[in-house]
Amino acid sequence: MEILFNDLTNLFTLTNLLCILLGTVVGMVFGALPGLGTVIAVALLLPVTFTLPPLAGILMLLATYQAGEYGGSISAILLGVPGTPQAAATVLDGYPMAQNDSPGKALSYSLVSSSIGGIFGGLVLIFVSVPLAKFALNFGSPEYFLLGVIGLMAVGLLSGTDKIKSSIAVVLGLIAGTVGIDSLTGVSRATFNQPELMDGVNLVAFLVGMFAISELFMMISKGLNNKYVADRSTLKTGLTWKEVKGIAKSTTIGSLIGAGTGILPGIGGGASCWFAYAVVSKTSKNPEAFGKGSPEGIAAPESSNNASAGGALVPFLALGIPGSAAIAIIMGAFIMHGIQPGPNVFTAERDLVYGIFYGFILTTIAMYLIGRLLTPMFSRVLVVPNSFLISIVLVLCLIGIYASKGAFFDLWLALGIGILFYILKRLNYPVSSVIIAYVLAPIIEENFRRSLTLSNGNYEVFFSSVYAIALVLMIVAALAASVYADFKKRRHQPS
């Protein structure tokens, strides 16, 4: 229980608290805006972390991530339009409750359950990460290579309905991750004689182009004058103790499901919210109320979303495997500060890790307090026309990209990446698979080549330990399950 007794004085500094405050506000606003969302908010704030201490910068991104999960429910409840994909299930009962003259009550159920789910996810992070990291210290290069492969399979085979498109997206991410000078041979790869690419694709340009600029093109294609209209009356948030007790069961189920699925790379809140909604609707004493404004129908997906945020940090910190697209961007902040996530980070960056553990709980508390105070004000942002929003976001994108390295080349690079991913989005490719593959590419390549170097090219090295064999069996089982699921699906399709 050593983790419970640590000096946390470094956590409660003015810089850290202000960064949590800024991240919470930005995340809530971007989460509430349909078409923008959490990942874009995290990507836009990534350049800001250059000038901050590691803990402050990472807490700001985590606060953005947490608050964005709740923010998506604001537009889902007020407009019936989810601000984030994770808030899609919240629409089913949140919007009907709001239409029944109770938008404030619906937002209250969302805020309370999101906060409980966030705290539960934080506790899972605290108590699961350290044992998992200690276990992972037994791993060598072969095991880390196999872990990376499992991460790719989770993204390519499990997270998308179209496995071919998911696999293509993974390959694109792997290609992007190999651009630059080969660290082992010194040979330049896919640089097209551009010196700016010798160090690889600029992480900020890549992320902002992929998520923010591509989304701006999507918003432009839908019309510059589009805006939503919301009735901002009766938006005061607050629940009685009896109402909180009424959603205790659904919030508990949602938190358990969210934390569990969050730990699995590539699954995340998008799937967990629907899973939680389905389980709670089946086990509820009032199943007939679902879809008509049931408080349980709001609490289950919202608690699941925020619990999955804490769960996704577990494989990231303990194994160096990002559990979601937003966590992959946060991994970029680690890398830019010269910190490599994984089991060794618990000894090399002990204060940072414990600061993140308890800082995550702090970001949840900040989300609740700011949500109580400012949710009515955030709803006003929903009526801003797209033309105004696009201009603001574009300026922030350009400033962030240029500030990262001071190179005009990166602006053009981000534009090209934005156009490419706009096309991929229109073709329904899962772009989140690209970023996870991009950050896993160096881990997979370096450990694969290191393993073969140590074994003189003998592939039996990947079966040289009990852990490696277990990971190989997991890969084979996942492939077999995927093939069987496809076979079963085709058998039941009408000819």
Side-chain angles (χ1 to χ4, degrees):
M1 302 301 289
E2 176 189 359
I3 192 171
L4 295 178
F5 303 99
N6 284 280
D7 183 9
L8 299 178
T9 54
N10 292 332
L11 176 61
F12 295 96
T13 65
L14 181 60
T15 301
N16 290 343
L17 296 177
L18 288 176
C19 285
I20 290 174
L21 178 63
L22 174 63
T24 302
V25 173
V26 172
M28 212 169 285
V29 171
F30 272 71
L33 292 170
L36 293 182
T38 307
V39 176
I40 294 176
V42 175
L44 282 178
L45 286 181
L46 179 63
V48 181
T49 62
F50 291 154
T51 59
L52 295 170
L55 180 58
I58 291 165
L59 288 179
M60 180 174 65
L61 298 182
L62 288 176
T64 306
Y65 184 20
Q66 274 277 71
E69 295 296 307
Y70 162 67
S73 70
I74 296 176
S75 56
I77 289 170
L78 297 180
L79 309 173
V81 180
T84 62
Q86 292 84 350
T90 307
V91 174
L92 300 181
D93 284 281
Y95 188 53
M97 183 179 286
Q99 287 184 312
N100 293 331
D101 299 323
S102 301
K105 190 66 69 177
L107 288 170
S108 298
Y109 281 117
S110 172
L111 180 59
V112 170
S113 56
S114 293
S115 301
I116 295 173
I119 291 174
F120 183 86
L123 295 176
V124 169
L125 172 65
I126 291 172
F127 289 104
V128 175
S129 295
V130 175
L132 184 60
K134 289 180 178 179
F135 176 74
L137 287 173
N138 298 310
F139 289 3
S141 294
E143 288 82 5
Y144 274 107
F145 164 72
L146 294 170
L147 272 175
V149 172
I150 290 174
L152 290 185
M153 290 180 58
V155 174
L157 297 180
L158 303 179
S159 63
T161 54
D162 191 326
K163 293 182 175 59
I164 294 178
K165 288 184 177 180
S166 295
S167 300
I168 291 173
V170 166
V171 171
L172 288 175
L174 292 175
I175 292 172
T178 58
V179 173
I181 299 293
D182 185 344
S183 59
L184 295 181
T185 65
V187 176
S188 62
R189 303 182 298 188
T191 59
F192 305 101
N193 295 321
Q194 294 291 334
E196 294 87 353
L197 292 176
M198 292 298 181
D199 292 331
V201 178
N202 182 355
L203 182 64
V204 175
F206 187 71
L207 294 174
V208 174
M210 178 192 301
F211 291 109
I213 294 180
S214 64
E215 193 59 45
L216 293 181
F217 284 121
M218 293 289 287
M219 293 174 70
I220 292 170
S221 67
K222 294 175 183 177
L224 288 174
N225 294 321
N226 280 1
K227 68 176 182 179
Y228 300 98
V229 179
D231 182 1
R232 296 186 294 273
S233 61
T234 63
L235 287 175
K236 291 184 179 180
T237 55
L239 294 179
T240 65
W241 177 241
K242 182 179 179 181
E243 289 169 332
V244 173
K245 287 174 63 178
I247 59 171
K249 178 184 174 182
S250 56
T251 301
T252 301
I253 293 174
S255 298
L256 288 168
I257 291 173
T261 55
I263 291 174
L264 301 175
I267 307 301
S272 70
C273 68
W274 290 107
F275 188 24
Y277 187 89
V279 172
V280 170
S281 64
K282 296 295 183 183
T283 58
S284 173
K285 294 181 179 179
N286 301 300
E288 68 282 353
F290 280 75
K292 302 175 184 178
S294 168
E296 292 180 288
I298 299 173
E302 286 302 303
S303 58
S304 175
N305 293 344
N306 285 81
S308 70
L313 283 169
V314 173
F316 166 62
L317 287 175
L319 305 174
I321 306 287
S324 67
I327 296 297
I329 299 173
I330 294 171
M331 184 173 180
F334 272 74
I335 294 170
M336 289 187 298
H337 282 284
I339 302 168
Q340 180 59 50
N344 290 324
V345 78
F346 287 82
T347 53
E349 301 288 344
R350 178 189 178 91
D351 291 341
L352 173 66
V353 171
Y354 289 147
I356 291 172
F357 282 168
Y358 293 99
F360 187 83
I361 302 289
L362 199 58
T363 63
T364 305
I365 296 172
M367 177 188 72
Y368 176 77
L369 295 176
I370 293 175
R372 282 293 306 269
L373 292 172
L374 301 181
T375 291
M377 186 190 75
F378 288 143
S379 66
R380 296 175 181 268
V381 181
L382 299 173
V383 302
V384 177
N386 275 358
S387 56
F388 189 67
L389 286 175
I390 290 170
S391 301
I392 294 175
V393 174
L394 179 60
V395 170
L396 292 175
C397 289
L398 297 178
I399 293 173
I401 294 167
Y402 184 76
S404 64
K405 282 189 175 180
F408 282 105
F409 174 84
D410 291 335
L411 298 176
W412 292 106
L413 177 65
L415 176 62
I417 291 171
I419 293 173
L420 171 63
F421 280 93
Y422 165 70
I423 296 171
L424 292 177
K425 285 181 179 180
R426 294 299 297 264
L427 296 175
N428 295 319
Y429 279 80
V431 297
S432 60
S433 299
V434 180
I435 180 57
I436 295 177
Y438 171 74
V439 299
L440 287 178
I443 298 172
I444 292 172
E445 181 187 16
E446 290 174 13
N447 286 289
F448 176 74
R449 295 169 71 178
R450 189 179 297 124
S451 299
L452 292 181
T453 300
L454 294 174
S455 65
N456 294 318
N458 188 345
Y459 284 88
E460 291 181 3
V461 70
F462 298 111
F463 302 89
S464 59
S465 71
V466 174
Y467 304 116
I469 293 172
L471 292 171
V472 170
L473 292 176
M474 289 175 62
I475 292 172
V476 173
L479 284 172
S482 177
V483 171
Y484 175 74
D486 283 346
F487 174 74
K488 190 175 180 181
K489 183 178 179 180
R490 289 175 184 174
R491 272 188 69 184
H492 289 85
Q493 284 181 344
S495 55

